[in-house]
Amino acid sequence: LDSPLPNHSKSIAATYDSEYTVPRCFEHASLCHGGFVLIRGVGDEEENSPNTIDSCADRTGSSSQKFESIFFMSVQSVTKEIMTVGDWVSITTAVTSPTDTSLRPMPADHQFIIHFYYKSDVVSSWKYITSRFRQPGLDSGLFSVKYMLPAGSVHVVRVIYGYGPFIVGPCVRSWEYYDVDDLMFAVVDSSLTFPLVVEGELLAVYDSEFTAPRCIDVGPSCDSSLLIVGVGGTVGEGTESNAPNTIDGCEDYSIGKRGHDESIQSMKVASVDGAFLSVGEKARIEAYVFKAKDTSSRSNPNEKEYAHFWYAPDAKSKDWSHLRSTSFDPGSGGLMRLNLNFTLQPGDSTQAVRLTYGYAESRYMGPCDRMDKYFDVDDLVFEVNHGAIPVPSFQYIATLDSPLPNHSKSIAATYDSEYTVPRCFEHASLCHGGFVL
């Protein structure tokens, strides 16, 4: 990457910025990369360690050959033109894994995890983008995620690569082994405001009016990101930001500890067909909860945990309808994924979903009945296409039966009996499997 990349209007290598203590591309470019020197290594081995704007430090041993290490980062425009607010960009990182983990404890909830974050200016808080997971036993790997550039002329992206339980945060100090690095770059800002979009998803922000995470635009999905991680009232580290994150003031009640006891980690509402969320269409709620690790010391040990889903077609009315309840054994703790499908009802363009999650006493409850010492409740507010709201210009194409605009050639696959898969035999700019094959 020492020379300009083919088809890129301008690719540049970052230099170390002593003011912000990170690698930085000062000029506007279509690609900004940290080279193979500035962030290579881990801990004291890394040049200008820790290479973060807030002094978040690595936590490993002294050798990148034995511990988790990031050795390359770049951010580039998907169109290969100068990065501008509203453009899609791709963050790419290359990581190496430890050569030997035989002496480490390997709990069931520990994984090799790569977290991606961004800032649209140097003083704002970190925004969580997404995470990737790596299989044990692999020496190295390349990972990439995409997001749309919100307003801001100086952006920073962060990659955290480590080994531990799935805990999100811009500086996961509870992990025993991790490497963290930042990359700062210039963005052309036309002073327009764009919502944060991650590969088609809208990420919620905290809304002081609703006192809960909210996606303020219509999209195919709405994700709480890390806004509801933890639980209000917990002991020590892990208290939920802006708790209780509910539109009606319903509060958590928990004496538990993060990473040990019941808590809701995230919620997402998405259309089933990939189109924009619209009244009358099917949607899906996806939630991740952290199950209790050990209930043997509780007054009623080894009972089940209960999760209840609720829906308010008009978030302003705060009138909840019960969707579904489910129960399961805590087991040995760790993350568990919950999901259900439901139909978006008429009401208002601003709607909400709620998840209540708790231990045994939470078996029978309404939308806000705090009967348990281990109880978490969180809401997610989102917008739907209700007829009066114009659909944003970046709406996905819902049908692929005819040629797509701006594509030189789009074709539908046919079944190939030799390879037993749908196949596009001709060269094209877009190949799709249709809605039947």
Side-chain angles (χ1 to χ4, degrees), residues 182-326:
D182 298 345
L183 179 61
M184 182 181 290
F185 58 101
V187 174
V188 177
D189 186 356
S190 58
S191 298
L192 297 176
T193 300
F194 289 83
L196 174 61
V197 183
V198 180
E199 297 185 290
E201 298 178 359
L202 291 175
L203 296 190
V205 296
Y206 180 74
D207 188 295
S208 57
E209 177 186 356
F210 283 101
T211 62
R214 180 188 180 189
C215 292
I216 58 175
D217 292 278
V218 183
S221 63
C222 172
D223 195 320
S224 68
S225 183
L226 78 167
L227 294 179
I228 61 174
V229 170
V231 55
T234 55
V235 178
E237 180 187 358
T239 301
E240 182 178 304
S241 299
N242 300 306
N245 283 303
T246 57
I247 63 176
D248 54 8
C250 182
E251 295 183 352
D252 306 336
Y253 181 77
S254 180
I255 61 173
K257 286 187 177 182
R258 175 177 168 177
H260 281 263
D261 301 296
E262 293 84 352
S263 68
I264 301 167
Q265 299 295 96
S266 69
M267 278 200 294
K268 175 181 174 181
V269 177
S271 64
V272 172
D273 61 5
F276 276 48
L277 294 164
S278 301
V279 168
E281 300 300 323
K282 289 284 186 182
R284 180 178 62 256
I285 303 174
E286 298 176 359
Y288 280 91
V289 299
F290 194 93
K291 301 189 297 178
K293 283 188 174 181
D294 183 9
T295 63
S296 60
S297 61
R298 297 183 183 180
S299 59
N300 50 347
N302 305 317
E303 297 280 355
K304 290 184 177 294
E305 296 174 334
Y306 296 88
H308 308 277
F309 288 93
W310 304 85
Y311 172 49
D314 181 351
K316 299 183 185 70
S317 73
K318 305 171 186 176
D319 185 14
W320 296 104
S321 299
H322 180 250
L323 292 177
R324 195 184 76 186
S325 298
T326 185

Side-chain angles (χ1 to χ4, degrees), residues 1 33-42 45-46 64-65 67-74 92-97 134 139-143 159 161 179 181:
L1 293 174
H33 66 85
F36 291 98
V37 178
L38 290 183
I39 64 172
R40 188 182 184 93
V42 62
E45 180 187 71
E46 185 177 301
S64 59
Q65 299 303 310
F67 297 96
E68 291 75 0
S69 175
I70 302 165
F71 68 87
F72 175 77
M73 282 176 64
S74 72
T92 300
T93 186
V95 301
T96 58
S97 294
R134 215 175 131 62
D139 292 334
S140 60
L142 195 67
F143 297 86
V159 175
Y161 174 46
D179 188 11
D181 290 303

